Amino acid sequence: MISFIVLLFSFILENSWSLIFYNSSSLFLSLFSLVTIFSIYPLFKNNNKKYLITSFIYGLIYDITFTNTLFLNALVFLFISFIISKIYKNFSMNFLNVSIITICLIIIYRIISYFAIIIINGFNFDWLLLLKSIYSSLIVNVIYIFILNFIIKHICLKLNIKITKY
Amino acid sequence: MYKKKKLEKKYIFIIIGFIIALITIFVISVIKTDRKLNPFEKVVKDAALTVGSVFYKPVQFFQNKINENKEKNNIYKKYKDLEEKYKSISFNEARINELEKELDDLKKILEIKDTLVEYDKINATTVNRNIGYWDDLITIDKGTSSGINKDMAVITSEGLIGKVVNASYFYSSVRLLTSDELGQKVSIKIHLTEDRYVYGLLSGYDNNTNCFLIEGVSENVEIPEGSIVTTTGMSNIFPAGILIGKVSGSKKDNFDLTMLIEVIPSSNFDDLNFVTVLKRKSDV
């Protein structure tokens, strides 16, 4: 239930953020939905199947609502959540690791989605555009994941909900 | 026996290849952003965006209050500017009325139902902006229930900004002219003097200079900086006479073959909170 609320919150926030802080040269591009997938993994208590299905459906809704690219984000979210499930088993989640992993996930997401879009729509490949899309998304999303992790931890403590610790 | 097994293996590879090809075709067709939405997508999109809009309302309220406060500082300067403009409005209104009457009379004589410049306006508010990043899409809060359909032109008070790529019942996606999508070429004309034009095609947007690029313009014509660029209406999408921008310069393309005209957009693409969808009367 908490994971559902967190996903819904990030979804709504991403929608509003795009209007409030949009600027073509902005350094605060949001990928809240993507980083939320990383944040909510402990709430699934090692139930990988449920986690992957949730990520896929979430990606599908993201596709339909925001990008109109049916299945693209669903498949990318599924792939990224698979990576996340492996990462959680092999790394401890401290400040530095969370930052590095979030940055890596953003880079993976941007590269896959950009290549998919240029192959399908026939866009011209532009290194600078790809680079800009990556560095513009880093600051705000790394801050967001720390805030989200902090909130999730406190809610779970208050409500006595057990989460998987790594 | 061995030959039979080998044959079966071959069939399995063919079937797998066929399935992969089918999946690829399916994925490519559904990833395209300008396809028609199916009823399931329309319902999900409407529901999700309605929830998003409800939560955005209080944020919008505070955002408007902040903007109002900022505007208050400039209020006297704006008043003076508007006062200047107001003086010329009455003169222009009278002229427009006269021209409209003349146009109606000519249409009656020539038995023309509608011209390329006529359109109905549908005002809309933007509910999200370019979340997918690559497509330069905005979503507006009017859909098929308000009469919006695919390929309708979208403008702001400053000029043309894009076209509708798909619509659900209550929301529509608009692809901006700044998008990299190759299929979106707009027929334009550059106003050299009051009755002399040069025609061309708006073919793309340069992210480095923030200018539109126009191709297909004859190299023999000298185009002065500041010339106004508008749509020609020679397509099924954009009505005639919609402002696009002003010429800022020209350059050769990457292969040094054709001349590209650079145009500064008249619309501010960073501020698209309120837009207007144009429904061409000649399409009705």
Side-chain angles (χ1 to χ4, degrees):
Chain A
M1 186 62 186
I2 297 240
S3 58
F4 173 75
I5 293 167
V6 173
L7 287 172
L8 185 68
F9 175 75
S10 298
F11 192 82
I12 291 166
L13 187 65
E14 188 150 10
N15 188 54
S16 305
W17 189 274
S18 74
L19 280 176
I20 302 166
F21 294 99
Y22 185 83
N23 186 303
S24 52
S25 53
S26 173
L27 286 172
F28 305 111
L29 296 181
S30 67
L31 277 174
F32 298 150
S33 300
L34 180 84
V35 295
T36 305
I37 287 176
F38 178 37
S39 224
I40 59 165
Y41 182 76
L43 296 169
F44 285 84
K45 297 165 192 166
N46 281 334
N47 189 344
N48 273 6
K49 197 178 164 189
K50 197 178 164 192
Y51 174 63
L52 294 176
I53 291 170
T54 306
S55 301
F56 180 78
I57 293 169
Y58 190 55
L60 194 62
I61 295 169
Y62 189 91
D63 270 324
I64 293 169
T65 313
F66 296 140
T67 63
N68 298 327
T69 52
L70 202 54
F71 291 119
L72 176 64
N73 283 294
L75 293 172
V76 178
F77 278 28
L78 181 68
F79 175 66
I80 283 174
S81 53
F82 175 75
I83 296 172
I84 291 165
S85 66
K86 297 287 166 207
I87 286 170
Y88 263 99
K89 280 175 184 148
N90 295 306
F91 292 93
S92 63
M93 287 301 139
N94 55 41
F95 186 84
L96 185 70
N97 281 0
V98 169
S99 309
I100 294 168
I101 293 163
T102 308
I103 290 168
C104 290
L105 292 177
I106 290 168
I107 293 170
I108 293 169
Y109 174 77
R110 287 295 193 205
I111 290 174
I112 296 175
S113 57
Y114 186 51
F115 275 92
I117 294 288
I118 59 168
I119 290 166
I120 290 151
N121 289 332
F123 290 173
N124 295 324
F125 184 75
D126 187 348
W127 271 109
L128 281 176
L129 191 65
L130 179 61
L131 202 67
K132 193 185 161 201
S133 76
I134 292 168
Y135 73 71
S136 310
S137 319
L138 296 181
I139 303 167
V140 71
N141 294 302
V142 171
I143 293 169
Y144 182 69
I145 198 163
F146 283 117
I147 295 169
L148 203 60
N149 280 350
F150 180 78
I151 293 168
I152 289 174
K153 219 173 174 180
H154 274 258
I155 290 172
C156 291
L157 275 174
K158 281 246 170 191
L159 301 175
N160 275 334
I161 297 167
K162 281 181 184 174
I163 57 168
T164 319
K165 285 182 182 173
Y166 294 92
Chain B
M1 187 74 177
Y2 174 75
K3 205 176 175 183
K4 200 181 172 185
K5 263 192 174 175
K6 206 177 172 185
L7 214 73
E8 278 173 3
K9 221 175 177 181
K10 201 176 157 187
Y11 279 127
I12 288 168
F13 276 120
I14 291 169
I15 291 165
I16 290 170
F18 184 68
I19 291 168
I20 289 171
L22 274 181
I23 291 170
T24 312
I25 292 165
F26 173 72
V27 169
I28 286 174
S29 63
V30 293
I31 283 177
K32 286 254 180 202
T33 49
D34 49 1
R35 79 208 136 75
K36 205 178 171 195
L37 302 178
N38 61 46
F40 170 72
E41 282 177 86
K42 284 180 182 176
V43 170
V44 172
K45 188 171 184 159
D46 285 343
L49 285 171
T50 305
V51 172
S53 309
V54 168
F55 282 90
Y56 179 62
K57 288 279 179 224
V59 181
Q60 196 179 26
F61 175 78
F62 285 111
Q63 207 183 359
N64 288 342
K65 287 283 165 203
I66 292 165
N67 287 340
E68 271 174 30
N69 273 328
K70 278 182 192 169
E71 295 271 309
K72 273 178 189 169
N73 299 330
N74 292 330
I75 211 153
Y76 183 72
K77 194 179 168 289
K78 278 195 174 168
Y79 167 73
K80 282 286 168 197
D81 289 346
L82 287 172
E83 201 180 26
E84 281 297 310
K85 280 182 187 170
Y86 182 72
K87 283 174 189 166
S88 61
I89 280 178
S90 310
F91 171 76
N92 284 334
E93 256 179 15
R95 194 163 178 260
I96 288 168
N97 286 341
E98 193 56 39
L99 287 170
E100 271 180 357
K101 196 176 165 289
E102 218 169 90
L103 185 69
D104 283 342
D105 291 343
L106 286 169
K107 271 161 64 181
K108 271 177 200 161
I109 294 164
L110 296 168
E111 291 177 354
I112 296 169
K113 204 181 164 201
D114 292 301
T115 60
L116 295 173
V117 264
E118 287 175 296
Y119 43 77
D120 287 328
K121 288 179 179 177
I122 304 164
N123 294 321
T125 308
T126 309
V127 293
N128 69 48
R129 172 81 201 261
N130 200 22
I131 293 181
Y133 191 77
W134 311 113
D135 285 307
D136 257 345
L137 286 175
I138 61 169
T139 310
I140 56 171
D141 66 346
K142 294 279 162 66
T144 49
S145 61
S146 305
I148 289 178
N149 283 313
K150 196 184 166 190
D151 283 343
M152 283 182 174
V154 183
I155 62 164
T156 62
S157 55
E158 294 161 331
L160 186 68
I161 58 160
K163 66 170 182 177
V164 175
V165 281
N166 58 46
S168 61
Y169 302 112
F170 304 115
Y171 296 93
S172 308
S173 298
V174 177
R175 175 168 289 131
L176 302 178
L177 289 177
T178 50
S179 164
D180 225 0
E181 209 235 340
L182 294 173
Q184 186 162 307
K185 290 195 174 179
V186 184
S187 170
I188 58 97
K189 60 182 175 187
I190 303 168
H191 299 239
L192 299 178
T193 58
E194 209 166 283
D195 53 356
R196 207 169 144 241
Y197 308 110
V198 176
Y199 291 85
L201 277 176
L202 193 152
S203 61
Y205 183 77
D206 190 339
N207 286 306
N208 302 320
T209 56
N210 291 328
C211 285
F212 289 128
L213 298 173
I214 289 169
E215 61 180 24
V217 178
S218 169
E219 287 189 34
N220 305 324
V221 185
E222 199 178 307
I223 295 160
E225 269 185 40
S227 303
I228 287 172
V229 181
T230 61
T231 52
T232 61
M234 287 182 209
S235 73
N236 296 325
I237 302 169
F238 302 105
I242 309 288
L243 183 65
I244 291 175
K246 282 181 179 176
V247 172
S248 64
S250 61
K251 64 176 184 182
K252 291 270 183 183
D253 70 348
N254 291 340
F255 306 103
D256 227 19
L257 292 172
T258 53
M259 191 165 70
L260 292 170
I261 309 289
E262 289 179 320
V263 174
I264 298 172
S266 58
S267 300
N268 177 8
F269 282 86
D270 286 336
D271 181 20
L272 301 174
N273 289 331
F274 303 101
V275 299
T276 304
V277 184
L278 304 180
K279 196 174 181 181
R280 260 171 75 151
K281 280 192 175 170
S282 52
D283 295 339
V284 182

